[in-house]
Amino acid sequence: MTAKLVVIASYPRSGNTWTRLVLDHVCRRATAPISINDIDNGFYNLRRMIFDGFAPIDAASLSAAEIDRYWPDVLRGFAATQPDTSPLIIKTHETARRTDLGDWLYPPEIVQGVIHLVRHPFDVAASYAPHLGWTIDRTIRAMLDSGHQLDRGTDRMHMATAERVGSWAGHAASWTADDLPWPVISLRYEDLRADPIAGFTRAAAVAGLADDAGLIARAVDFSRFDRLQAEEREAGFRERPAASPAFFRAGRSGIGWQDADPALLRELADRSAEMMQRFGYRADGGWEG
């Protein structure tokens, strides 16, 4: 049988890797912390290998639009080779979108559900800037750009093509649109930090995992930020970009964005107002409980 995909979708630096770690502990019913370099889900660093393994032509020979056209069938083929005994969790920073032929990038018939993560855009900017090795002002300009994308090159160990991330507001709007073909839940990063057991219980339900409060509480404890930071300092993390001093930073809200150009912060708040209001985010950097 074909495995069902569970898509964890987020703007960069909004808790995607943390969520993957927690769910991996739940999937494996872990009784001890799993290494951050042994995450058994997401397939993020293997996108190019997956594409080359299931597409009839190497990605290097294709344009971005042509690669998009192949992705739905690539994912169908990949899912068909995976055991259906546990959810097939896929990480993405893409916007929710169709190819230029009208096909959804993630075929609805093989998607069990989507866990959409969202974080206050000011805090995203503060975390995303060192991740990219950019200034915070340059990062905010990227978050306002509908054409913003992540380009990891064309190595076999990297993405098959750039991920189309878009603006913060456009990304949030795409994953909360009324016409999406998959069941979607949205979880705020701030709520996950405040009550991780409640939030990850909802995420686990989307993935079809057991509603076991003790197991989820243990997975949350094994994925505490101090644990992740300590392991990264000792052993490194294979998903950390070369430009970033650390992948697992503070994990806190309300810090780092105050040094940005106030005019850029106002523009980010103004142009993101609809989505910020939808998720209870205020223009002063706070949020409604």
Side-chain angles (χ1 to χ4, degrees):
M1 293 179 65
T2 296
K4 287 289 190 177
L5 305 185
V6 175
V7 181
I8 306 178
S10 73
Y11 208 81
R13 309 305 293 172
S14 299
N16 203 309
T17 299
W18 182 34
T19 301
R20 290 165 56 207
L21 276 163
V22 172
L23 293 183
D24 197 21
H25 281 85
V26 176
C27 283
R28 297 203 231 179
R29 306 188 71 85
T31 56
I34 296 168
S35 169
I36 57 176
N37 290 304
D38 190 30
I39 307 176
D40 194 26
N41 65 36
F43 299 100
Y44 197 58
N45 283 353
L46 302 178
R47 283 170 56 100
R48 178 64 188 267
M49 292 183 69
I50 292 170
F51 187 93
D52 287 348
F54 292 92
I57 186 170
D58 189 277
S61 305
L62 302 172
S63 68
E66 289 169 333
I67 289 172
D68 272 1
R69 293 171 201 159
Y70 280 112
W71 261 119
D73 280 340
V74 164
L75 289 172
R76 290 184 184 101
F78 177 58
T81 68
Q82 303 300 304
D84 63 351
T85 53
S86 61
L88 183 59
I89 295 173
I90 299 289
K91 169 182 175 176
T92 187
H93 292 314
E94 293 265 11
T95 56
R97 61 186 178 85
R98 298 174 184 264
T99 72
D100 61 358
L101 298 179
D103 300 314
W104 287 100
L105 216 57
Y106 294 92
E109 74 276 10
I110 63 168
V111 174
Q112 177 170 313
V114 175
I115 301 164
H116 168 234
L117 306 174
V118 64
R119 187 181 189 184
H120 196 297
F122 291 6
D123 290 316
V124 169
S127 182
Y128 198 18
H131 187 73
L132 294 170
W134 292 358
T135 66
I136 192 167
D137 289 352
R138 180 183 177 187
T139 303
I140 292 172
R141 291 187 183 96
M143 292 172 61
L144 290 165
D145 181 4
S146 62
H148 177 49
Q149 61 183 24
L150 294 175
D151 186 357
R152 300 288 182 90
T154 55
D155 258 61
R156 289 189 61 84
M157 289 301 291
H158 288 118
M159 298 179 184
T161 185
E163 284 191 291
R164 301 185 196 179
V165 176
S167 67
W168 180 90
H171 190 280
S174 77
W175 287 105
T176 54
D178 293 334
D179 64 342
L180 297 180
W182 330 277
V184 181
I185 65 163
S186 292
L187 299 175
R188 292 195 313 182
Y189 178 85
E190 296 78 11
D191 296 331
L192 285 176
R193 292 291 288 158
D195 189 350
I197 294 175
F200 287 123
T201 296
R202 292 186 63 200
V206 172
L209 298 172
D211 183 10
D212 183 331
L215 178 60
I216 292 171
R218 191 167 67 227
V220 168
D221 181 61
F222 289 160
S223 305
R224 293 197 325 262
F225 268 73
D226 61 333
R227 288 183 185 272
L228 308 183
Q229 290 166 329
E231 184 178 352
E232 183 180 10
R233 285 193 299 269
E234 181 178 340
F237 182 42
R238 65 186 180 186
E239 296 184 26
R240 178 184 65 83
S244 176
F247 190 96
F248 298 102
R249 297 179 66 250
R252 299 193 301 272
S253 300
I255 59 172
W257 50 263
Q258 291 84 356
D259 294 332
D261 180 346
L264 277 174
L265 284 174
R266 285 195 299 273
E267 185 177 1
L268 180 58
D270 289 345
R271 290 173 55 184
S272 307
E274 182 179 352
M275 285 297 108
M276 288 180 66
Q277 290 168 9
R278 176 171 186 153
F279 288 103
Y281 294 139
R282 302 194 306 262
D284 65 0
W287 59 92
E288 307 303 329

